[in-house]
Amino acid sequence: MANIIDGKKISQEIKDELKAEVEGIKSRGEKVPCLAVIQVGNDPASTVYVSNKKKACEYIGIGSKSFELKEETTQDELLNLIDDLNNDDEVTGILVQLPVPKHIDEDLIIRRIDPKKDVDGFHPMSVGALLIGEKGFLSCTPAGVIQLLKRSGVEIAGKDCVVIGRSNIVGKPMSVLLLRENGTVTICHSKTKDLKEVCKRADILVVAIGKPKMIDASYIKEGAVVIDVGIHRMENGKLCGDVDYESAEKQASFITPVPGGVGPMTIAMLMKNCVEATKLF
Ligand code: NDP
């Protein structure tokens, strides 16, 4: 049976470290980070995410400003707000909760955020910086996976790492971060031939495929480390990942559960980016 990588515990550790760091910032009289969170419309899932982000800011002791905009908000109105926040010295991080309503161009919004305040790490400047190893914000979910591995004592250097998925927010930055840690990285996608065979070579398998429970033990080498980024709500109301946990845990040496694995790390790493915002550039 695999060791469970406890994302709840590790994310709490990180938030507590950040809380102590913010106390230090305050006691030295330095600039306290402040996150501006913008939500357009009232998608219930987004409302939960936004509320969790605000709670996390409160917990670690940084400021937050919240902008809840109507569904009918125009693209120009949103762009103007981003411009104002880019110019607001008090605000050190800006996050637009995605997805935005269909009449707004998501890429344009992401590109309008000042890269120095891009705490989600989605701006092309942040992505480019990640690729060439320059300083910049790391995409939160993949950065969280690296922390899960490191804090569980999993060595990445020299390991065969397979990432299933090549999205801009998970698969691609995940692959680059593993490469940066000196893993030997293979990226799989919907056109990959013999997915099973490729996955079975992995010492570390990161699954971000968006298909409930698709990856079972038959894709996993005995003793591999399995990280499940996927998150889905099943008909019975429970959550599951892209990995068939019951089957996979029999093959893996370490595995992340869903919920309680990668999920809690995303907000913890967002908070890390917020705290680093004042000293990164
Ligand atoms: P996307 O749908 O954007 O990407 C899925 C990727 O999987 C694509 O690259 C696609 O390939 C690939 N893929 C799909 N089907 C197959 C297949 N049969 N064989 C091989 N590859 C396949 O998803 P995201 O990256 O945005 O998210 C992935 C999962 O992670 C989702 O379940 C999402 O809910 C979850 N997620 C969780 C987060 C968290 O905080 N825990 C944060 C973000 C996402 P191709 O490019 O060829 O189409």
Side-chain angles (χ1 to χ4, degrees):
M1 266 221 318
N3 295 296
I4 295 171
I5 298 180
D6 187 343
K8 253 175 132 172
K9 182 165 156 267
I10 295 174
S11 66
Q12 187 61 45
E13 270 167 31
I14 292 173
K15 282 189 280 184
D16 286 337
E17 288 164 16
L18 292 170
K19 191 176 179 174
E21 199 173 331
V22 172
E23 276 162 17
I25 289 173
K26 287 180 177 167
S27 69
R28 291 189 297 275
E30 294 167 6
K31 183 170 178 173
V32 178
C34 174
L35 174 67
V37 183
I38 306 172
Q39 182 182 359
V40 187
N42 41 25
D43 171 63
S46 292
T47 304
V48 173
Y49 291 136
V50 165
S51 143
N52 287 343
K53 286 167 188 174
K54 285 192 281 194
K55 273 189 216 151
C57 288
E58 211 173 300
Y59 182 78
I60 68 165
I62 66 171
S64 73
K65 289 186 176 191
S66 181
F67 298 86
E68 279 130 34
L69 309 183
K70 295 193 299 285
E71 179 87 20
E72 311 77 70
T73 302
T74 65
Q75 182 168 285
D76 281 344
E77 285 169 332
L78 179 55
L79 289 171
N80 287 339
L81 173 59
I82 294 172
D83 288 343
D84 288 346
L85 295 170
N86 281 340
N87 294 322
D88 183 338
D89 283 342
E90 194 193 334
V91 171
T92 53
I94 302 170
L95 182 149
V96 178
Q97 184 63 45
L98 302 178
V100 285
K102 287 196 171 49
H103 63 277
I104 296 176
D105 179 349
E106 194 167 289
D107 287 340
L108 192 65
I109 298 305
I110 290 172
R111 282 166 171 73
R112 192 66 157 244
I113 296 171
D114 182 342
K116 293 192 174 80
K117 299 189 179 186
D118 174 39
V119 285
D120 250 343
F122 292 161
H123 192 289
M125 288 276 285
S126 307
V127 179
L130 167 64
L131 198 60
I132 60 175
E134 286 191 355
K135 60 184 177 179
F137 292 106
L138 301 181
S139 187
C140 302
T141 303
V145 170
I146 297 292
Q147 286 300 316
L148 286 178
L149 293 170
K150 286 188 168 174
R151 290 174 186 246
S152 304
V154 175
E155 176 85 34
I156 303 171
K159 294 288 170 61
D160 276 324
C161 305
V162 172
V163 178
I164 320 180
R166 56 173 166 182
S167 71
N168 289 339
I169 61 164
V170 187
K172 281 183 196 146
M174 186 71 252
S175 311
V176 176
L177 282 177
L178 288 165
L179 181 62
R180 210 155 96 162
E181 297 294 333
N182 297 314
T184 302
V185 184
T186 305
I187 309 171
C188 299
H189 46 76
S190 63
K191 306 289 185 292
T192 298
K193 284 189 189 146
D194 298 330
L195 180 67
K196 211 173 253 193
E197 290 315 306
V198 179
C199 292
K200 282 188 99 157
R201 294 204 293 264
D203 301 311
I204 299 173
L205 179 65
V206 181
V207 188
I209 198 169
K211 301 253 158 51
K213 296 191 180 187
M214 181 175 148
I215 302 303
D216 63 15
S218 66
Y219 288 77
I220 300 166
K221 178 168 82 177
E222 193 176 350
V225 176
V226 178
I227 304 290
D228 187 356
V229 182
I231 185 151
H232 310 273
R233 193 163 295 278
M234 295 184 286
E235 274 176 9
N236 63 9
K238 290 192 174 159
L239 294 175
C240 76
D242 292 346
V243 173
D244 180 348
Y245 184 88
E246 280 71 31
S247 162
E249 69 150 352
K250 298 187 178 85
Q251 273 299 88
S253 58
F254 285 88
I255 190 166
T256 57
V258 177
V262 175
M265 295 301 290
T266 302
I267 288 193
M269 300 315 288
L270 171 70
M271 291 301 112
K272 191 165 172 53
N273 278 348
C274 288
V275 172
E276 279 175 1
T278 48
K279 51 186 185 192
L280 196 57
F281 293 99

